Amino acid sequence: MRRYFLPLALLAVAAPLAAQDPSNTAVIVDPQFVSYQIGTGSGARTISQLGVPIAIIVPFSDRFNMDLSTSYASSQAKTAGVTSKITGLTDTQLRGNLTLGDNAAIITLGVNLPTGQYKVPDGQQVAAGQIGNDFLIYPVTSMGNGLATTGGIGFARTLGNWNLGIGASFRYSTAFDAYQVQSAILRFTPGTEARLRLGLDRPVGDGSFNVSLTYSKFGNDEAADSTFGTGDRALVQSAYAVPIGGNRDLLLSLWDLYRGVGQQFGGVGQQRVASPSENVANLGVAMGFQMGSGLYIQPNIEERSWIYDNSNAGLLTNVGVRLRFDWGGLTMNPSATYSLGSLYATGVPSTDLTGFKVALLIRLH
């Protein structure tokens, strides 16, 4: 599910800007550097990534716009002096959005163009496999997913003080050459994905509250002559924002991602076995301060937990600060985060986990 989350998240930020003026094109660049160290001493493993998601949204009218997104990524995994690294552009997503009626419905058609890194050789596979992690979130989670098309429709209406939104989409992917092991090429076909999303929001006093549920059902992936499943996913997201006086505001946020039981290769003869369920939950608190000269400062803290196969697999605390200010024709959003936590395995002492993230979201308007 996360394979195209970040570009669309960037476009969601850009959408309100573009809607203000049909002649306005929005450009967003979000360079980020993330690094985690797992363990200590000579056996420590370091996984880092420089990711640069880029998004452009072009409104052709007040009812139709198109957006384009891609990313550059350089990822590295290093253990005991052995380094695996993969660098390059990812796939490109092109999408058109048509609004119907009085903003009551929207139709979306998109295509994933295979401009990313393919036929990943042996020396790069460790780095490529480490970044698709729902607990340690990297800005770019996949270097390439093949040619795919997505169609979706969404509806919105007001119910008293509530705003209700319902959306559904379907994604179809084609086969591509994913890995190269010596002279052999592994051909991979991602499973289809059907997604249903339900969202609610309403004002609460001088603040606002929103909650959404996204359910994704995946078909079986195919590799060589075998099929296996990643497990269906459900994502709950909620936020409550309220001003608290003195140019200050409070933001409470929560998200919870559940992945159901799937199938993977393992055991003798690489037969298919059950892939255990997992759950990642994140609770955040942020306090914003509106300073002079248009500067906004928002210290924040998050607590994240990871449950794998019904057992505690990890805990992570993120402490950071976000800024926002305008500079010329740009809106600048720098941020920095320090992470501290532990990973757990049954019958094994906990493993220390530390990391940091720096980012600079730039929006041209």
Side-chain angles (χ1 to χ4, degrees), residues 13 17 20 27-31 294 296 323-334 360-365:
V13 174
L17 172 67
Q20 294 174 8
V27 179
I28 296 178
V29 182
D30 187 19
Y296 181 77
L323 306 178
R324 185 180 68 239
F325 58 90
D326 290 334
W327 183 54
L330 304 175
T331 297
M332 313 289 286
N333 294 263
L360 177 60
L361 176 65
I362 304 172
R363 183 170 62 190
L364 171 65
H365 54 90

Side-chain angles (χ1 to χ4, degrees), residues 32-38 44-51 72-88 123-132 136 138-140 143 356:
Q32 305 175 45
F33 183 78
V34 181
S35 181
Y36 290 104
Q37 179 176 298
I38 302 172
R45 176 160 48 109
T46 301
I47 307 165
S48 59
Q49 182 186 87
L50 170 64
Y72 167 85
S74 178
S75 306
Q76 177 177 284
K78 184 176 181 180
T79 306
V82 178
T83 300
S84 173
K85 186 174 182 179
I86 184 169
T87 299
Q124 300 178 3
Q125 289 176 17
V126 173
Q130 292 292 322
I131 60 178
L136 305 178
Y138 292 90
V140 176
M143 299 301 294
F356 69 92

Side-chain angles (χ1 to χ4, degrees), residues 266-292:
V268 179
Q270 289 294 297
Q271 296 178 350
R272 284 185 296 175
V273 297
S275 173
S277 64
E278 64 178 329
N279 192 89
V280 181
N282 191 92
L283 176 65
V285 180
M287 180 78 74
F289 301 86
Q290 187 66 54
M291 312 298 287

Side-chain angles (χ1 to χ4, degrees), residues 4 6-8 10-11 28 53-57 67-71 90-95 111-113 115:
Y4 52 94
L6 256 174
L8 297 188
L10 284 173
L11 295 171
I28 296 178
I54 302 168
I56 303 172
I57 183 166
D67 52 61
L68 179 74
S69 63
T70 188
S71 299
T90 68
D91 288 348
T92 300
Q93 293 82 39
L94 179 63
R95 185 176 64 167
V111 60
N112 186 85
L113 303 173
T115 58

Side-chain angles (χ1 to χ4, degrees), residues 3-4 8 93-96 107-112 147-153 168-173 193 195:
R3 58 191 173 208
Y4 52 94
L8 297 188
Q93 293 82 39
L94 179 63
R95 185 176 64 167
I107 297 176
T108 298
L109 294 175
V111 60
N112 186 85
L147 179 65
T149 58
T150 302
I153 186 168
S169 63
F170 183 81
R171 178 183 175 96
Y172 174 78
S173 302
E193 177 187 359
R195 178 178 297 191

Side-chain angles (χ1 to χ4, degrees), residues 98-100 103-108 151-157 164-169 197:
L98 176 65
T99 301
L100 304 176
N103 294 322
I106 183 170
I107 297 176
T108 298
I153 186 168
F155 301 91
R157 64 172 301 175
L164 170 66
I166 301 175
S169 63
R197 181 179 174 89

Side-chain angles (χ1 to χ4, degrees), residues 341-355:
S342 299
L343 298 178
Y344 305 95
T346 303
V348 178
S350 64
T351 303
D352 292 337
L353 170 64
T354 58

